[in-house]
Amino acid sequence: MKQTLKSRLTKTGSPSGMPDAVGREGQRSRAAIAICLFSFCFLVLAFRLTSLGMSEPEAAGWGVAAQAALTAGRPDILDRRGEVLATDIKTPSVYINPRQIVDVDDAVERLTSVLPDLDTEKLRQDMETNRAFVFVQREITPRQRAMIHQLGIPGLGFLEENRRVYPSAETTSHLLGLVNVDHEGISGIEKYIDGTGLSALRSAGFTGDRDQTPVQLALDLRVQHALRQELSDAMEMFTAKAASGVVMDVNSGEIVAMVSLPDFDPYQQEQALEDDRLNRITSGVYELGSVFKTFTFAMLLDSGLGDLNSQFDATQPIRIGSFTISDFHGENRVLSVPEAYTKSSNIAAARMALAVGIDGHQEFLRRIGMFDRLRTELPESAAPLLPRNWARISTMTIAYGHGISVTPLQAVTAASAMVNGGFHIPPTFLPRSPLEARELSRAVIQPETSNQMRYLLRLNAEEGTGRRANVDGYRVGGKTGTAEKIVDGRYDSTRKLNTFMGAFPMDDPQYAFIITIDEPHGIAANGGGSTAGFNAVPTAGRVIARIAPMLGVTPSFDDRNISAGAILASF
Amino acid sequence: MFRFINLAAIAITLIAAIVLFRVKYEATDFAGEVAKLRTGIASERAQINVLKAEWNFLNEPRRIQRLADQYLDLQNMDAHQIVTFQELSARLGRQESIRVERSSDEFTGSINTPEQ
């Protein structure tokens, strides 16, 4: 450009007179300098404009950053049918920027007209500080927010904060766990969700919006509620210390319901720390007593050392040193395997375990997962307590459930394996199909043994200690356990942990369950007994009667002849 | 000739400037509207979420049960209340063929009445 200008000037310039020529030369160079200068200025302007036009508008100031941090969202948690178990609700909080407050007295007065609970002295002090941000009140209602907005006080603003809400409160509190003030999971499924990459997302700042995929659980809220209500009724009826129950799908390993009472209110987090309110299903280990005979019998049948027709001598108690193993329902005769099961004979169970031997016993218990800490999605878990020196006496007592402490979840997982054809499936709180479960499973007993166990469990509910759980139509099978608790190193016959463990429907098992009631008392209404048959069993019966229709278990009545006219009476 | 070109150029520049000015303001207006709508959507979403949570509070099984116990004369379902289609045909006392099909989770049934 400069070049062309120069040449043009040269062409049009006058060829005459030196002084004239010199003057023109000076004008030309001055013009050139001016042109250069202006061109440069315009270029700079153009460049700056382009760069401004290209850049994204910058998020303004600290308020927005604080907002982003506070609204870090968590995914909703749904039950298997899509009911919301946990969600985020945005609640406004009001803050002030004291530097922008013009008239402190006026602002205090007007704010307290909407929020009368405010401490005026503190508010005044806050307004006179030189900070840029002070919360006035957190979690106000949308209505209050609108009213404060109407006041039009300068230097006042709102932040939206996420609050975690649990519509079903106590019913699901153990399972879902809790979040802390920073909205991070600290227990239960909430913590599991953080572990799956949410915390990484959060630190990268990607969790501001709430379009996160909800987390679906295997839990069925209706079943959970029914289980909890029956357990809490039972706790009250038998003035028990605690109660717990879990229902597991035997083919997929899904936990459909899990309740441990006393539970806690998710809005009163300090409750969750009380010892008494721990999740007994996953983090408590117990000597489960006679329910363990189920595993002893399965071990015997699976080892081939005995079959259903084998006989075991229970004529007299077994004495080892100062220790005596005797039967609660003492028959004092030789018992067949089914008899020993329905009479819950300690002596026969001890003899069975001895027949298999210590090594075989240990190997079997390890196979069905009794030796290892059972880990699930829940961060809470407990390792089983095993005898330090496994002697003959250990094998004999463990045969009937004393001397080993496991979590109820371990027991129910093993119980599933007893009835589902022999597959030990790791339990899960997330949805899983039977096919996926099959790939994760281990065959621990033969299908034939599993059939025999179904027969024994069903028999026990028909004519043994589990009679009171025999819900019409649902073919319940199960084994009772009445375990004396250890108090100060000795078994205390007045404190019992009563258990009923089983599955239904026994002709095609779909769900396994375990119900425990801690330190129940006898009541006159059912004869005053305090063994499991009087409390854990009828409770299980009531639970099954309620949940089986929800779970879609088809009822069938063996004694009901479908083509006969007699059934018409039952419509 | 030059004058004409200059005038035309000035006119075009003016028109372009005016158009640009208007487009710019229009764009600003639209941007404002977009922002407003976005805020609106966000607040509607938050509102929906609050309502959903409230819905779940109101439908919480424990609450429903309490209300049902108080106001309704309902009982827990009994297994005897569940019947199969085969049993239904026995009750109807006729020879209809009853077909039940299951596709994924839905049961569908049909009753074919034989021609009389």
Side-chain angles (χ1 to χ4, degrees), chain A residues 83-84 87-89 167-171 210-211 221 225 228-229 267 472 474 546 549 555 557 560 568 571, chain B residues 45-46 49-50 52-53 56-57 59-62 65 69 76-77 79-80 82-84 86-88 90-91:
Chain A
E83 301 286 346
V84 175
T87 187
D88 281 354
I89 283 187
S168 29
E170 289 97 337
T171 308
R210 45 163 303 103
D211 298 327
L221 184 59
H225 162 71
R228 182 176 186 275
Q229 207 211 358
Y267 303 112
D472 214 6
Y474 291 116
R546 279 186 73 173
F557 305 92
R560 195 158 109 176
L568 293 178
F571 283 104
Chain B
R45 277 210 181 131
N49 214 47
V50 170
K52 258 197 212 156
N56 281 291
F57 267 117
N59 281 297
E60 205 266 309
R62 217 162 9 139
Q65 169 135 28
D69 289 347
N76 285 333
M77 192 160 73
H80 289 282
I82 302 170
V83 293
T84 63
Q86 277 69 37
E87 288 169 319
L88 265 185
R91 172 161 167 74

Side-chain angles (χ1 to χ4, degrees), chain A residues 37-48:
Chain A
L37 210 69
F38 278 106
S39 314
F40 178 74
C41 288
F42 277 108
L43 269 174
V44 168
L45 274 177
F47 178 77
R48 181 66 186 140

Side-chain angles (χ1 to χ4, degrees), chain A residues 72-126:
Chain A
R74 300 183 63 80
D76 288 357
I77 303 178
L78 311 178
D79 86 338
R80 67 186 301 131
R81 296 169 57 252
E83 301 286 346
V84 175
L85 302 178
T87 187
D88 281 354
I89 283 187
K90 285 206 172 99
T91 51
S93 292
V94 54
Y95 68 85
I96 47 171
N97 180 350
R99 290 179 199 161
Q100 290 178 8
I101 299 276
V102 184
D103 185 343
V104 172
D105 289 320
D106 177 62
V108 169
E109 195 174 310
R110 289 204 280 171
L111 256 179
T112 44
S113 71
V114 178
L115 304 167
D117 295 340
L118 285 181
D119 178 355
T120 45
E121 264 319 297
K122 191 179 169 297
L123 190 60
R124 202 180 298 273
Q125 278 170 22
D126 283 344

Side-chain angles (χ1 to χ4, degrees), chain B residues 2-59:
Chain B
F2 276 118
R3 172 173 289 187
F4 174 73
I5 289 172
N6 281 345
L7 281 177
I10 289 167
I12 289 168
T13 313
L14 276 176
I15 290 165
I18 290 164
V19 170
L20 186 70
F21 185 77
R22 291 189 50 167
V23 168
K24 184 182 155 49
Y25 272 83
E26 241 170 71
T28 314
D29 285 354
F30 281 131
E33 208 168 312
V34 166
K36 218 162 113 188
L37 286 175
R38 284 223 175 106
T39 320
I41 289 168
S43 91
E44 287 296 317
R45 277 210 181 131
Q47 194 68 29
I48 288 169
N49 214 47
V50 170
L51 292 174
K52 258 197 212 156
E54 193 170 342
W55 175 254
N56 281 291
F57 267 117
L58 296 177
N59 281 297

